[in-house]
Amino acid sequence: MDMENATPLGNGFGQLPDPAGSATAVVDARGTVTGWSASAQRLLGYPYEDVVGRPAARLLGWDADAMGDFSAVLEGRSGTTLLRHQDGHHMEAELRAYASLDREGNAQWLIMATPPQQPRLHKGEATTEEAFAQCHLPVMIYDADLRALRGSAGAARELGLTEEQMRGRRVTDILPPHICRTVEEGMRRAFETGEPEEFQVHGRPRRGVDERFWAVSVSPLRNPTGQVRHVQLIALDVTEQHRARERLLLLNDVSTQVGSTLDVTRTAQEMADVAVGRLADFISIDLLDSLFRGVEPMPSAEGSVALRRAAQQSVLPDIPESVIQPGEVDNYPKSSPPARCLATGRPSLHRTLDEAIESWQVSDPERAAKVRAFGMHSIMVIPLRARGITLGVAVLVRHRRPESFDEDDLLLAEEIAARAAVAVDNARRFTRERTTALALQRSLLPQRLAAQEAVEVAYRYIPARSRAGLGGDWFDVIPLSGARVALVVGDVVGHGLRASATMGRLRTAVRTLADVDLPPEELLVHLDDLVTHLRTEEDTAADHDLEIVTDLIATCLYLVYDPVSRRCTAAGAGHPPPAVVTPDCTAEFIDLPVGPPLGVGGLPFEAVEWEVRPGSLLVLYTDGLVEVPEHDLGRGLALLRQRLERPARSLEATCDHLIQTLLPAQPSDDVALLIARTRALDTGQVATWDLPPDPAAVAGARAEVSRRLADWGLHEVAFTAELVVSELVTNAIRYGGPPIQLRLIRDTVLICEVSDGSSTAPHMRRARIFDEGGRGLLLVAQFAERWGTRHLAGGKSIWAEIGIQNERL
């Protein structure tokens, strides 16, 4: 190399280009480095910023003090010399120095160092060229026009082309369009940014092979000047890894999405929805009919079987492949794969040309027509087994996807079916327990409400649809003495059979206590004691190793309405307050004292009394109506008040409106709703007399009763009424104390009431033959339909009811 051929170099040119195979540096006349190439850095280890501006003698390994004029030393210097590496060791290199001038005319030197030539390969050793050509991985080299320059043996094998056939062709000339677009965009980005690109593509690299998944890496290739002149493309076949990942994702989705509800049909449909399109093109799931009723399934015997279609799904709209609809029964011949699968509990994999499938098509022409019409070519029949019992059969079909099912697909389908079968069996067992609990609960709730005229009643009971099962909500309407009526709603905390059974015991206790005619607050005290005793019994009897027993807690609201006084008295035990809707559609909640729930024990209950206008609505409910997942109790009460202020045609319509607007489609808690429209007895239906504590007043009382019954047209019961009144008034005068009052109420029955100031309750006794007294209450019991005693704040009231069903009121 001479000056004429030397590359002109200027002062401060910085990073130098590298002639092929050489490391270059520029040194000025004072021996200071002014230029340093990337190859020089690779050869000696010194980075550019650590070299430029420093003496070159230290880099060359020379003694700078003995050198004198650096230019004179370099003049004509060439040959092999020792150079000092950054780490301190010396290395041989062939050194050449060429004089030149910088832009200002000052002398400078271009120094080129070339490492000694590597020894030639021995005969028979592979070269890098041979290694690339024989590489089993698909490797391609593309130029800036995205045309192939080289291709390895792996690329030729996958593409089905020789390297000569690939050379000069673009990706678009070889691969499908969607793959080409992704690959060429990746190569362009590598050229533009100089950074590697990684992405995945899938498709068929050539005709006649299955679809594959590839992890593609595109790397820029730089020339000695650092420019990207080519790109290298490497494609790794990750089909098996992709399929394994897809199987894991599918199984994970089955675990999280199948069994979201405890409904047999819905669970089967969830399995079909998850697997179709990802494993099969069409899926049908048929189950034993007993599962839909919650009955324990029996092992299937060999022979023709009838299964009910639980679910089906397809990649095609409207599922045209199916021969029946969900809910219908599908009959499978004895020799068909589903019948054998149900009998043996083993899966099977088929092609449509298999003898078993052809035999099935012969015996089922309609299904055979579907197979031909949609080109079904691969079928799997999978049993749904749980606890050793086959619950049904799933049939998976491919007709859009060209690949046939393989053994890996069969194992995957078995795993999916096993998980789905557990969910189906759980749903079946839940259905059985829920049906049992619902039957028990409905048997414990009022079958029909007792006849009474104080209120018009409508009610609803909505069982829960959650995994927890039925709750312990209940309601009741209890006729009381004096034409009064008691309205009751309650809720046992918890779900399941235990809550339902406890609800029945509490409802029976309320009816018993109501017959004693206790005030609402006293009734709740006795009910609280009962719940406390029940909890003690359960704690004693429970096997804590087998069962977790929670505290027995219940809430209750007890309300009494008197149509004569038109007043309500109510007390609550941890229960939401009742709502009152006036005839002008103004709704408000009664401000009841917050009483403790039943079962807490030791705390008092308080009652509230208020007047009610005739035609008003009394609305009693459990918390399931107003406390739902969508909002809290406060919001629920506000919504209930808004709905009640919108008039409806009837009480039944009001109940339906509240249920439809306040509850979700699948309520998580039971709901009991009781609505009563109040009636009032006018003054013409009630007669009252204050009596002196004198036995002579008995005759006058009989006469007053006789005249009033005549006015009411109740002549046929006059004798009975006079007899009952005579005995009750006589008993009050003789054993009670003032004030004494007689009251007649004409309702569905004739009610005779005599009250006095004594709190001592009367009792019947058996009189002997010659006794002059002791027969009064015995006569009352014989002639009246019902009789009893009601304690008042200032004494008691003895009442008797005389039937007038056949009389005109």
Side-chain angles (χ1 to χ4, degrees):
M1 177 177 179
D2 53 22
M3 290 297 296
E4 287 76 9
N5 296 325
T7 302
L9 299 171
N11 190 25
F13 50 81
Q15 194 79 30
L16 291 171
D18 291 321
S22 299
T24 58
V26 176
V27 181
D28 62 15
R30 297 187 301 273
T32 302
V33 178
T34 60
W36 191 254
S37 71
S39 294
Q41 177 177 340
R42 287 193 295 270
L43 179 64
L44 298 180
Y46 295 98
Y48 167 80
E49 56 271 14
D50 291 348
V51 174
V52 173
R54 299 178 61 185
R58 296 182 60 188
L59 304 177
L60 300 175
W62 299 337
D63 186 355
D65 295 334
M67 287 173 56
D69 184 7
F70 188 79
S71 299
V73 174
L74 288 177
E75 186 73 36
R77 189 180 182 92
S78 64
T80 301
T81 187
L82 291 177
L83 301 179
R84 181 184 296 159
H85 194 272
Q86 184 186 28
D87 60 11
H89 78 274
H90 288 78
M91 57 184 298
E92 285 188 351
E94 185 178 350
L95 193 69
R96 297 180 183 275
Y98 302 95
S100 65
L101 299 176
D102 60 17
R103 289 192 180 97
E104 298 178 356
N106 299 318
Q108 64 180 11
W109 292 89
L110 172 65
I111 302 174
M112 301 179 64
T114 304
Q117 294 293 324
Q118 297 294 330
R120 295 185 177 180
L121 294 173
H122 296 292
K123 186 177 182 180
E125 293 185 5
T127 64
T128 54
E129 174 68 21
E130 292 171 339
F132 176 87
Q134 298 175 23
C135 178
H136 72 284
L137 294 177
V139 181
M140 298 286 293
I141 306 296
Y142 287 88
D143 61 16
D145 295 328
L146 305 185
R147 296 188 179 277
L149 297 177
R150 295 296 312 273
S152 67
R157 181 185 67 252
E158 294 296 341
L159 297 175
L161 301 172
T162 65
E163 185 176 12
E164 290 297 327
Q165 292 172 325
M166 290 186 286
R167 189 171 295 144
R169 299 174 68 179
R170 297 182 57 167
V171 178
T172 53
D173 301 327
I174 302 174
L175 297 176
H178 73 279
I179 299 180
C180 300
R181 188 164 47 252
T182 303
V183 172
E184 288 202 341
E185 288 176 355
M187 289 195 292
R188 286 194 182 96
R189 287 194 298 271
F191 271 111
E192 293 171 357
T193 65
E195 298 293 331
E197 291 284 333
E198 293 183 356
F199 46 86
Q200 287 195 356
V201 297
H202 70 278
R204 295 177 178 83
R206 64 179 186 277
R207 291 183 179 181
V209 298
D210 294 337
E211 187 175 81
R212 312 283 285 278
F213 289 83
W214 305 88
V216 179
S217 174
V218 177
S219 303
L221 300 179
R222 303 177 186 273
N223 63 9
T225 64
Q227 295 176 330
V228 179
R229 301 294 299 275
H230 306 95
V231 292
Q232 172 184 266
L233 185 149
I234 302 176
L236 299 178
D237 187 351
V238 293
T239 304
E240 290 304 318
Q241 295 91 320
H242 176 82
R243 290 178 178 173
R245 183 169 61 252
E246 288 297 311
R247 291 188 179 100
L248 290 176
L249 289 175
L250 179 55
L251 288 177
N252 180 69
D253 289 344
V254 170
S255 299
T256 57
Q257 300 178 25
V258 177
S260 62
T261 63
L262 289 173
D263 180 85
V264 172
T265 302
R266 182 58 195 162
T267 300
Q269 187 63 50
E270 288 170 344
M271 171 187 168
D273 292 342
V274 170
V276 78
R278 301 168 69 176
L279 180 60
D281 298 325
F282 169 71
I283 299 176
S284 66
I285 300 175
D286 299 323
L287 301 175
L288 296 171
D289 191 57
S290 59
L291 292 174
F292 296 89
R293 302 188 304 273
V295 178
E296 184 76 18
M298 299 298 294
S300 302
E302 292 188 5
S304 178
V305 294
L307 298 176
R308 190 170 298 278
R309 179 62 51 86
Q312 57 189 20
Q313 191 55 274
S314 170
V315 295
L316 302 179
D318 302 325
I319 318 179
E321 305 98 321
S322 177
V323 296
I324 64 171
Q325 296 302 314
E328 297 178 356
V329 173
D330 201 354
N331 292 287
Y332 292 102
K334 176 181 178 180
S335 60
S336 66
R340 291 206 302 267
C341 176
L342 194 67
T344 62
R346 292 193 295 270
S348 56
L349 177 62
H350 305 274
R351 305 290 184 267
T352 52
L353 299 178
D354 291 353
E355 181 180 353
I357 300 298
E358 290 185 345
S359 175
W360 185 13
Q361 294 184 62
V362 170
S363 59
D364 193 342
E366 184 179 4
R367 184 170 272 109
K370 294 281 186 179
V371 171
R372 292 191 298 270
F374 292 97
M376 301 179 185
H377 61 86
S378 188
I379 300 173
M380 290 191 297
V381 183
I382 310 297
L384 274 70
R385 291 179 59 82
R387 298 183 297 113
I389 300 175
T390 304
L391 309 176
V393 175
V395 177
L396 293 82
V397 177
R398 280 184 178 174
H399 55 76
R400 283 294 178 268
R401 187 181 303 189
E403 300 88 1
S404 299
F405 291 120
D406 55 25
E407 293 297 330
D408 289 338
D409 294 325
L410 187 66
L411 292 175
L412 177 61
E414 282 188 88
E415 182 65 25
I416 293 173
R419 300 188 184 191
V422 172
V424 168
D425 189 56
N426 289 339
R428 191 271 311 170
R429 298 172 71 179
F430 168 77
T431 300
R432 181 181 62 181
E433 181 175 342
R434 185 175 185 276
T435 302
T436 303
L438 186 58
L440 172 62
Q441 191 164 34
R442 292 195 183 280
S443 69
L444 296 174
L445 289 171
Q447 303 303 305
R448 61 179 182 178
L449 298 180
Q452 48 78 37
E453 291 296 320
V455 292
E456 176 192 357
V457 176
Y459 58 88
R460 293 290 184 273
Y461 170 71
I462 308 298
R465 297 291 299 177
S466 67
R467 292 173 179 264
L470 297 176
D473 293 18
W474 91 91
F475 66 92
D476 210 344
V477 178
I478 308 172
L480 302 177
S481 63
R484 298 170 306 132
V485 65
L487 307 176
V488 191
V489 290
D491 182 5
V492 177
V493 176
H495 295 82
L497 291 175
R498 175 174 177 258
S500 297
T502 303
M503 175 271 291
R505 300 173 77 172
L506 293 183
R507 176 173 175 263
T508 302
V510 170
R511 276 194 162 269
T512 302
L513 295 170
D515 285 341
V516 182
D517 242 330
L518 294 176
E521 65 274 18
E522 292 186 24
L523 183 142
L524 291 181
V525 170
H526 288 282
L527 204 60
D528 182 48
D529 292 339
L530 173 62
V531 173
T532 302
H533 291 317
L534 291 177
R535 184 172 59 203
T536 302
E537 291 177 1
E538 287 191 354
D539 289 343
T540 303
D543 186 349
H544 293 280
D545 292 334
L546 301 176
E547 180 183 8
I548 299 176
V549 179
T550 57
D551 286 343
L552 179 58
I553 300 292
T555 66
C556 183
L557 175 63
Y558 187 81
L559 183 150
V560 176
Y561 171 65
D562 187 343
V564 177
S565 65
R566 302 172 186 175
R567 298 190 69 80
C568 276
T569 306
H575 204 85
V580 177
V581 185
T582 59
D584 61 359
C585 296
T586 300
E588 63 177 353
F589 293 102
I590 300 301
D591 187 14
L592 285 181
V594 181
L598 301 174
V600 174
L603 298 175
F605 299 95
E606 297 181 39
V608 170
E609 185 175 346
W610 72 96
E611 187 173 352
V612 181
R613 294 169 55 186
S616 297
L617 300 184
L618 301 174
V619 182
L620 288 72
Y621 52 92
T622 54
D623 60 355
L625 182 69
V626 292
E627 193 170 11
V628 296
E630 287 75 13
H631 52 71
D632 58 12
L633 178 60
R635 176 61 177 164
L637 291 174
L639 291 174
L640 174 60
R641 181 174 180 174
Q642 294 175 9
R643 303 296 187 271
L644 289 173
E645 290 181 341
R646 300 174 183 175
R649 298 185 307 274
S650 64
L651 294 185
E652 296 292 336
T654 301
C655 287
D656 291 337
H657 177 67
L658 294 179
I659 295 299
Q660 293 169 5
T661 58
L662 295 179
L663 292 183
Q666 298 288 332
S668 59
D669 195 7
D670 288 16
V671 175
L673 173 64
L674 181 62
I675 302 179
R677 176 177 284 119
T678 61
R679 295 169 177 165
L681 297 179
D682 58 39
T683 56
Q685 294 178 262
V686 181
T688 305
W689 298 275
D690 293 326
L691 303 177
D694 185 354
V698 175
R702 283 201 304 268
E704 292 289 345
V705 168
S706 179
R707 284 191 294 270
R708 182 52 59 97
L709 293 180
D711 294 340
W712 287 345
L714 301 178
H715 302 286
E716 295 186 6
V717 298
F719 174 77
T720 303
E722 289 180 25
L723 176 62
V724 170
V725 167
S726 177
E727 294 299 334
L728 293 181
V729 171
T730 300
N731 202 63
I733 293 174
R734 180 176 298 177
Y735 302 108
I740 300 174
Q741 187 181 76
L742 168 63
R743 184 170 73 164
L744 293 183
I745 302 174
R746 187 191 66 174
D747 195 20
T748 55
V749 295
L750 179 64
I751 302 172
C752 304
E753 292 184 343
V754 177
S755 59
D756 63 77
S758 173
S759 60
T760 303
H763 61 278
M764 287 191 300
R765 61 187 179 89
R766 185 175 298 277
R768 292 185 291 272
I769 295 176
F770 299 105
D771 288 347
E772 295 182 0
R775 298 180 178 86
L777 291 182
L778 182 60
L779 290 173
V780 172
Q782 292 296 320
F783 284 96
E785 289 187 348
R786 292 197 313 154
W787 77 279
T789 302
R790 180 171 72 253
H791 290 275
L792 306 174
K796 67 178 180 299
S797 175
I798 304 175
W799 55 271
E801 295 179 356
I802 302 172
I804 57 173
Q805 299 93 313
N806 298 323
E807 301 296 330
R808 294 177 60 86
L809 299 182

